[in-house]
């Protein structure tokens, strides 16, 4: 397969129903080869302003459409995404680096949000409240927020878009998306499929270009009533401050620092299997990736030996190669961060049990790595590494591990392995995080609320609550004569 042979491949922006180009371009790289694979338009503030105008115009009619009509178009988009799965997975693997099987699984996951919110569109309901005054009737209706903007990251180039766009469109909002500069091609192909599904011009627009300029226009333009952002806590907090001046609604899915806790009474083989799935998916570049692994002293040796075996069986390579189970990191900065975290841990007394090297000097490759005896102040424990590194920390007591797990400004995901239901309940109650995997490492689903607490964000995506983020309540009080 090549981009030229893929009918849904697009390298222009989708603006008001047209594919638009610009003189200035941005290169897109393949993280495996580091070669330029496409050029996309580099648009800025003025194109963003026009797109917001067009989204406002489109909103005036889109909000009047019936939920059934919106559900029908979303269902068609869902069907087209699944029909194009192999093309979308190829585009994603080439621009993002993840193995083709993972890219294909992400397309299924991304599509599941579209189907979920197609159905949720028809379940948006109001309420009739009881009134203390017999001459009044109190009614609550829900209406779309208005024009929305989304800024998304490169690690899940499809799912991070559909879980914002689908609830927005389902509720009657229009949306302008700015994908990450590393992965615009998956986003643009999804835009082509949305066009084929029949969404009118201006309902979904996709703009590529200068993040700062586009972001400033999205956040300062009063016609935009909501921003949904997934990315780093640093940029999320900047955008939140930019949204403050006209009090825009905002949803933030930000960074994590997930603890993975293994108790003596757990099934060690299950804990290792689930850690492998949760940690090495996308080469560790996921926001809910276990970042620090706490193992109780009684199972430490068995857990470590089994983990070394599983890690050394991983096959690092180009995402398109069939035997690859772990791809490259997204760019040189990501490789440098991994190296810095490993060197820092070693300097503080940690030992490398496997991996620890960059196999080629000039690629974004890094070996899956296991570190032991990592102290609590090591950078790989304190910060999100966002790479294929597992730092092991040994603990003895429940109280000790609860303190260690919560000793972070983040609170996105946590994982807990224990066969004692009482212990599970105690730990689950004490851990500060938006999501907890208990005896499992796979927790994301369209029908579950995804999101974090503390510096990991605001709001939830997915579940029946996901559409609420795009709806405003309107309370109506009717007075009537007896
Ligand atoms: P990032 O640097 O914050 O970038 C995310 C998005 O923000 C990109 O589209 C980027 O555009 C844009 N951006 C950067 N600077 C901006 C600015 N000044 N104004 C407006 N937009 C701006 O994050 P990343 O490195 O791509 O992603 C990794 C982070 O995302 C990790 O911390 C991870 O945990 C988090 N994440 C969280 C979730 C979640 O659901 N909680 C999911 C996935 C990832 P450019 O690409 O054009 O620079």
């Amino acid at each position: 397969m090549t981009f030229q042979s893929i009918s849904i491949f697009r390298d222009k922006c989708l603006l008001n129903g047209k594919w638009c180009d610009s003189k200035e371009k941005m290169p897109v790289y393949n993280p495996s080869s580091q070669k330029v694979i496409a050029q996309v338009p580099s648009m800025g503030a003025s194109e963003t302003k026009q797109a917001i105008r067009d989204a406002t115009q489109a909103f005036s009619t889109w909000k009047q459409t019936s939920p059934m009509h919106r559900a029908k178009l979303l269902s068609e988009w869902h069907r087209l995404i699944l029909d194009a799965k192999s093309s979308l997975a190829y585009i994603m693997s080439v621009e993002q680096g993840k193995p083709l099987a993972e890219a294909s699984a992400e397309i299924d996951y991304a599509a599941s949000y579209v189907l979920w919110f197609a159905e949720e569109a028809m379940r948006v309901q109001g309420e009739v409240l009881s009134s203390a005054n017999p001459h009044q009737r109190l009614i609550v209706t829900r209406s779309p927020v208005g024009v929305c903007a989304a800024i998304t990251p490169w690690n899940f180039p499809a799912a991070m878009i559909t879980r914002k766009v689908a609830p927005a469109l389902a509720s009657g909002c229009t949306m302008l998306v700015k994908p990450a500069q590393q992965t615009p091609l998956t986003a643009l192909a999804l835009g082509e499929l949305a066009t084929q599904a029949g969404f009118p011009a201006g309902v979904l627009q996709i703009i590529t270009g200068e993040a700062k300029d586009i972001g400033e226009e999205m956040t300062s333009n009063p016609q935009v009533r909501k921003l949904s952002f997934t990315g780093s806590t640093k940029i999320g907090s900047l955008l939140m401050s930019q949204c403050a001046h006209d009090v825009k609604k905002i949803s933030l899915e930000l960074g994590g620092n997930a603890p993975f806790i293994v108790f003596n009474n757990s099934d060690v083989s299950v804990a290792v299997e689930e850690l492998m799935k949760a940690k090495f998916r996308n080469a560790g570049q996921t926001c809910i990736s276990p970042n620090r692994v706490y193992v109780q002293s009684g199972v430490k040796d068995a857990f470590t030996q089994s983990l070394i075996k599983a890690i050394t069986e991983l096959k690092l390579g180009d995402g398109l190669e069939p035997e690859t189970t772990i791809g490259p990191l997204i760019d040189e900065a990501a490789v440098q961060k991994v190296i810095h975290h490993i060197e820092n841990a070693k300097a503080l007394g940690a030992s490398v049990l496997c991996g620890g090297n960059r196999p080629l000097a000039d690629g974004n490759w890094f070996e899956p790595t296991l570190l032991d005896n990592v102290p609590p102040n090591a950078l790989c424990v304190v910060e999100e590494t966002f790479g294929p590194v597992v730092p092991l920390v040994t603990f003895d007591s429940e109280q000790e591990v609860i303190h260690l797990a919560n000793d972070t400004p983040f609170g996105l995901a946590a994982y807990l392995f224990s066969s004692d239901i009482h212990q599970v309940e105690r730990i689950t109650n004490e851990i500060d995080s938006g999501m907890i995997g208990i005896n499992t490492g796979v927790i994301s689903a369209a029908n579950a609320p995804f999101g974090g607490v503390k510096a990991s964000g605001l709001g939830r995506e997915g579940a029946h609550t996901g559409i609420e983020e795009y709806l405003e309540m309107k309370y109506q009080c009717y007075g009537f004569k007896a």
Side-chain angles (χ1 to χ4, degrees), residues 348-394:
L348 292 172
S351 48
V352 179
L353 297 186
C354 64
N357 298 306
R358 183 178 199 174
L360 298 166
D362 62 348
N364 299 330
W365 310 101
F366 204 87
E367 290 173 350
T369 299
L370 181 59
L371 302 175
D372 198 8
N373 298 319
V374 183
N377 59 336
L379 286 176
C380 59
V381 170
V382 176
E383 290 177 13
E384 191 181 31
T385 301
F386 232 55
V389 180
V390 177
L392 290 181
V393 180
T394 313

Side-chain angles (χ1 to χ4, degrees), residues 207-227:
I207 189 161
T208 59
E210 283 306 322
K212 184 171 175 295
D213 299 350
I214 294 172
E216 280 175 359
E217 184 59 34
M218 284 174 161
T219 51
S220 65
N221 191 316
Q223 288 174 324
V224 174
R225 289 314 315 149
K226 177 180 170 85
L227 176 78

Side-chain angles (χ1 to χ4, degrees), residues 151-155 160 163 178-182 209 211-212 215 229-232 235 238-239 253-256 287 384 386 412 450 456:
I151 300 179
T152 57
W154 47 264
N155 60 346
M160 297 304 106
R163 73 186 191 187
K178 190 213 84 68
Q181 60 173 299
Q182 292 96 335
K212 184 171 175 295
F229 171 77
T230 298
S232 62
I235 300 296
L238 170 76
L239 293 170
E253 299 284 349
L254 308 177
C287 53
E384 191 181 31
F386 232 55
L412 189 59
F450 192 104
S456 290

Side-chain angles (χ1 to χ4, degrees), residues 253-266:
E253 299 284 349
L254 308 177
N257 182 2
F260 188 101
I261 305 168
V262 183
F263 283 99
N264 284 342
N265 58 36
S266 67

Side-chain angles (χ1 to χ4, degrees), residues 271-310:
V272 169
E273 197 180 316
E274 297 300 304
L275 176 62
M276 292 301 293
K277 289 184 212 159
K279 176 71 225 183
F280 293 104
R281 189 168 57 119
N282 207 9
Q285 303 169 112
T286 76
C287 53
I288 55 171
S289 176
N291 196 53
R292 46 208 169 108
V293 177
Y294 298 108
V295 189
Q296 204 166 14
S297 42
V299 286
K300 174 71 190 315
D301 287 349
F303 182 85
T304 307
Q305 289 316 312
S306 174
L307 189 57
I308 292 173
K309 183 170 180 300

Side-chain angles (χ1 to χ4, degrees), residues 2 64 92 210 212 295 428 439:
T2 61
Q64 311 279 4
M92 188 192 298
E210 283 306 322
K212 184 171 175 295
V295 189
T428 303
N439 296 324

